[in-house]
C-alpha cells in the first residue's frame, strides 16, 4: 500500500472596495485543523470565517481555500481523491465587511477552487488509470495548480 496526500493553498482577499487582491501565497500544506469541503448545496456563511482579522492595508476579508488530493494503491488498484476545501481558521473578515456582497465574493473564490479541483479530477481520471501511472500525478497536479494560481 502506498498513500500520499497533498494540499495546495491559495489565499484570496477582498479589498474594502470589493476588488480581488492578488494571490497572497501558495504552498504545499498540512491541514490539521477543521476544514469545510465544497458542496453545491452548502454555501459559506460568515460563521465559517474563524481566523483573526488582519490589519493588512485595505483588505476586508480573506478566504483560505485549497485543493487537496490523495491516492491509495493496493497492488495495482488505484483510488484517487480530489477535493476543494475551505480552511476556517485561516479565513477571516472584518466586522464592517460582513455584507451579503462580500460573502458572495468570498464564496466565488471557493467556487473557483472547486472548478480547478474538478479540472484536476478530470485530468487525473484520463491520464492515471492504475498505480503504474502514479508518477504522472504530481506533474498533472502542478499544471492544474499553476492554472488555478494564474
Amino acid at each position: 500500500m502506498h498513500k500520499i496526500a497533498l494540499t495546495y493553498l491559495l489565499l484570496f482577499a477582498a479589498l474594502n472596495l470589493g476588488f480581488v487582491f492578488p494571490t497572497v501565497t501558495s504552498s504545499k500544506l498540512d491541514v490539521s485543523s477543521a476544514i469545510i469541503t465544497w458542496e453545491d448545496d452548502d454555501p459559506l456563511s460568515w460563521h465559517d470565517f474563524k481566523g483573526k482579522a488582519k490589519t493588512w492595508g485595505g483588505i476586508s476579508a480573506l478566504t483560505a481555500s485549497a485543493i487537496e488530493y490523495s491516492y491509495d494503491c493496493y497492488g495495482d488498484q488505484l483510488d484517487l481523491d480530489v477535493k476543494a476545501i475551505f480552511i476556517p481558521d485561516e479565513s477571516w473578515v472584518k466586522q464592517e465587511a460582513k455584507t451579503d456582497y462580500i460573502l458572495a465574493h468570498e464564496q466565488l473564490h471557493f467556487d473557483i477552487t472547486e472548478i480547478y479541483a474538478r479540472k484536476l479530477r478530470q485530468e487525473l481520471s484520463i491520464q492515471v488509470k492504475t498505480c503504474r501511472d502514479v508518477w504522472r500525478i504530481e506533474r498533472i497536479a502542478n499544471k492544474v495548480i499553476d492554472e488555478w494560481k494564474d
Side-chain angles (χ1 to χ4, degrees):
M1 179 182 104
H2 180 157
K3 180 171 184 154
I4 188 167
L6 294 171
T7 304
Y8 289 84
L9 169 71
L10 287 183
L11 302 176
F12 298 98
L15 298 176
N16 288 332
L17 299 175
F19 299 105
V20 179
F21 190 80
T23 300
V24 177
T25 187
S26 67
S27 62
K28 292 182 183 179
L29 169 77
D30 176 23
V31 178
S32 54
S33 61
I35 61 167
I36 297 170
T37 302
W38 189 94
E39 294 184 30
D40 188 40
D41 60 349
D42 191 14
L44 296 173
S45 74
W46 284 128
H47 296 291
D48 297 323
F49 290 72
K50 299 184 185 298
K52 184 176 190 243
K54 308 295 188 269
T55 57
W56 300 339
I59 298 174
S60 57
L62 183 125
T63 292
S65 63
I67 296 174
E68 182 177 69
Y69 67 92
S70 62
Y71 68 88
D72 286 312
C73 282
Y74 299 96
D76 204 34
Q77 181 181 342
L78 176 65
D79 181 29
L80 281 166
D81 185 39
V82 178
K83 56 190 167 191
I85 61 174
F86 176 85
I87 306 163
D89 290 344
E90 299 296 324
S91 301
W92 52 266
V93 60
K94 291 180 179 174
Q95 189 62 36
E96 66 273 13
K98 288 186 176 181
T99 67
D100 291 342
Y101 176 81
I102 297 289
L103 182 59
H105 177 95
E106 297 306 307
Q107 179 66 52
L108 274 174
H109 289 305
F110 194 25
D111 294 345
I112 291 167
T113 302
E114 171 63 14
I115 289 168
Y116 281 91
R118 289 179 185 187
K119 183 171 184 162
L120 178 56
R121 205 175 291 123
Q122 179 182 25
E123 289 294 319
L124 291 174
S125 72
I126 293 168
Q127 299 184 49
V128 182
K129 301 287 187 187
T130 70
C131 288
R132 290 186 304 269
D133 300 328
V134 296
W135 61 272
R136 293 183 177 131
I137 292 174
E138 189 79 15
R139 179 181 48 84
I140 295 165
N142 286 337
K143 178 181 171 277
V144 173
I145 299 299
D146 286 346
E147 291 173 14
W148 176 45
K149 288 189 290 190
D150 288 343

